[in-house]
Amino acid sequence: MARRCELTGKDGQVGHKVSHSNRKTKKVFRPNLVTVTLASETLKKNVKLRISANALRSVEHRGGLDAFLLKADKAELSRDALAVRKELDKAVAAA
């Protein structure tokens, strides 16, 4: 399982931990990933995703999973999120 947000594509970064004496050691900065179940109102089903806490705030800010997925860039979405997006596009086109 990759340490990557399924909605935003946020991934780990590499940098330096700098001590008081200015000694630098390698450090990996990982995103704060949480497993959540989000409800899709259009599809009337729940979707389980592993997303960052920041992405969870963005989903709530945009008005839910459906609104977030419709505005999201397809290159950043995971396979599971892309499958939900395809279903959502079909449902919106049919309505």
Side-chain angles (χ1 to χ4, degrees):
M1 182 183 297
R3 292 185 175 127
R4 184 182 188 115
C5 177
E6 294 189 40
L7 293 181
T8 60
K10 185 181 280 195
D11 203 357
Q13 293 182 333
V14 178
H16 288 105
K17 177 182 173 186
V18 182
S19 69
H20 179 68
S21 64
N22 207 23
R23 183 174 294 197
K24 295 164 184 75
T25 56
K26 291 273 187 175
K27 179 167 173 42
V28 178
F29 298 96
R30 294 199 172 100
N32 181 13
L33 296 178
V34 291
T35 303
V36 296
T37 303
L38 299 170
S40 173
E41 296 169 1
T42 306
L43 300 176
K44 294 185 173 88
K45 70 176 194 176
N46 293 331
V47 181
K48 189 173 183 180
L49 296 170
R50 190 165 186 228
I51 63 175
S52 64
N54 190 12
L56 182 59
R57 293 183 68 212
S58 298
V59 167
E60 291 173 3
H61 178 74
R62 285 196 185 168
L65 180 64
D66 298 341
F68 184 91
L69 286 176
L70 291 175
K71 289 184 182 179
D73 185 21
K74 290 184 178 180
E76 294 177 346
L77 298 175
S78 69
R79 274 188 278 136
D80 296 337
L82 273 175
V84 175
R85 166 89 186 251
K86 273 186 177 180
E87 290 179 43
L88 192 60
D89 287 338
K90 287 180 185 177
V92 169

